[in-house]
């Protein structure tokens, strides 16, 4: 008898596959992405399928997966305008970040829903989240499509043009070792790496 239960993903629905992947591959930091449509509408949404890719040039990737209606607004926006800002999330803004994950029509701004403050960016049009301690201005390098239909990955790869680091974390040209973000765990759990505490947030309906 094997000590392992083997799941062949050829036999699972995408919802079942999501549950296994999201419950196991963590803690995941959160890319809180600010983007802008060609018509000017602003969007703000969190994505924990997120990683740094390299440093020469600096790059990162996140994946807004397809929904039952196709591309999420933030994916559509970066395809249209090729710019976005990744804001990092610490405990103080976790609830407001969570509010922006609500599925709302493209013409409703998650900035208004959350009460977060848009701060003009330097190199790109989408604003930064003023309350976030670290913000990365990015230009779209490529969207890599993997799969079709709900749950399919769309890897948005961005070249990082600039990092904005709060002065409380910056000393004499180096980043102090005090960046303490929140990260996504399985289910409704998150970890606050400052307090080393696990807390829960339900997705807004
Ligand atoms: C903490 C957190 C992490 C999330 N991570 C992802 C993710 O990696 N990929 C994804 O497609 N949706 C993710 N979501 C859901 C999206 O934020 C949600 O679908 C949002 O409505 C997308 O916004 P948009 O349609 O305005 O682009 C996450 C939600 C939360 C609260």
């Amino acid at each position: 008898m094997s000590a392992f239960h083997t799941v062949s993903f050829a036999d699972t629905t995408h919802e079942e596959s999501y549950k296994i992947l999201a419950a196991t591959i963590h803690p995941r930091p959160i890319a809180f992405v600010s983007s802008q449509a060609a018509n000017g509408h602003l969007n703000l949404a969190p994505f924990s399928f997120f990683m740094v890719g390299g440093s020469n040039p600096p790059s990162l990737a996140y994946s807004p997966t397809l929904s039952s209606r196709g591309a999420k607004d933030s994916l559509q926006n970066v395809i249209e305008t090729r710019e976005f800002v990744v804001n990092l999330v610490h405990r103080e803004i976790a609830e407001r970040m969570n509010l922006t994950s609500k599925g709302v029509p493209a013409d409703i701004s998650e900035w208004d829903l959350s009460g977060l403050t848009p701060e003009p960016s330097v190199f790109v049009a989408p604003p930064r989240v003023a309350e976030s301690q670290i913000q990365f201005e990015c230009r779209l390098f490529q969207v890599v499509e993997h799969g079709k239909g709900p749950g399919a990955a769309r890897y948005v790869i961005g070249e990082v043009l600039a990092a904005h680091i709060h002065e409380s974390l910056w000393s004499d040209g180096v980043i102090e070792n005090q960046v303490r973000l929140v990260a996504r765990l399985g289910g409704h759990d998150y970890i606050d790496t400052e307090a080393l505490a696990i807390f829960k947030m339900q997705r807004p309906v």
Side-chain angles (χ1 to χ4, degrees), residues 60 82-84 86 124 136-140 158-161:
L60 54 76
R82 303 188 69 83
E83 293 181 341
F84 57 97
V86 170
V124 299
F136 297 108
E137 295 192 34
C138 301
R139 179 182 301 131
L140 179 64
E159 183 166 333
V160 187
L161 305 177

Side-chain angles (χ1 to χ4, degrees), residues 13-204:
T13 63
H14 77 86
E15 290 94 343
E16 289 163 343
S17 307
Y18 171 86
K19 278 185 192 156
I20 291 173
L21 296 169
T24 52
I25 302 176
H26 65 66
R28 299 186 302 276
I30 298 163
F32 194 17
V33 176
S34 162
S35 62
Q36 185 165 21
N39 66 12
H41 284 142
L42 297 178
N43 188 281
L44 193 56
F47 298 95
S48 68
F49 294 176
F50 168 45
M51 64 179 283
V52 59
S55 58
N56 184 21
S59 70
L60 54 76
Y62 71 96
S63 177
T65 57
L66 298 186
S67 75
S68 53
R69 285 177 289 121
K72 295 184 176 181
D73 295 333
S74 29
L75 174 61
Q76 190 55 41
N77 291 353
V78 298
I79 291 170
E80 286 177 13
T81 60
R82 303 188 69 83
E83 293 181 341
F84 57 97
V85 179
V86 170
N87 304 274
L88 299 184
V89 179
H90 61 298
R91 184 65 187 91
E92 280 73 17
I93 61 170
E95 277 79 11
R96 284 175 280 175
M97 171 279 295
N98 190 38
L99 282 177
T100 69
S101 70
K102 197 169 175 180
V104 292
D107 58 346
I108 294 186
S109 168
E110 292 88 359
W111 287 93
D112 297 337
L113 279 182
S114 68
L116 289 162
T117 315
E119 171 95 10
S121 293
V122 178
F123 300 97
V124 299
R128 311 178 260 150
V129 174
E131 290 84 354
S132 165
Q133 296 173 320
I134 299 157
Q135 309 124 2
F136 297 108
E137 295 192 34
C138 301
R139 179 182 301 131
L140 179 64
F141 171 65
Q142 203 176 325
V143 176
V144 176
E145 303 190 354
H146 188 194
K148 293 184 195 133
R154 292 294 179 266
Y155 295 93
V156 174
I157 304 171
E159 183 166 333
V160 187
L161 305 177
H164 303 277
I165 296 145
H166 193 269
E167 58 186 7
S168 61
L169 300 171
W170 187 256
S171 172
D172 291 335
V174 286
I175 241 184
E176 298 249 345
N177 191 22
Q178 284 166 359
V179 178
R180 300 279 186 265
L181 303 175
V182 297
R184 195 79 179 80
L185 298 174
H188 299 296
D189 289 351
Y190 291 75
I191 183 157
D192 172 6
T193 65
E194 170 77 50
L196 290 182
I198 292 174
F199 65 102
K200 287 184 189 296
M201 287 192 299
Q202 305 280 338
R203 290 274 302 277

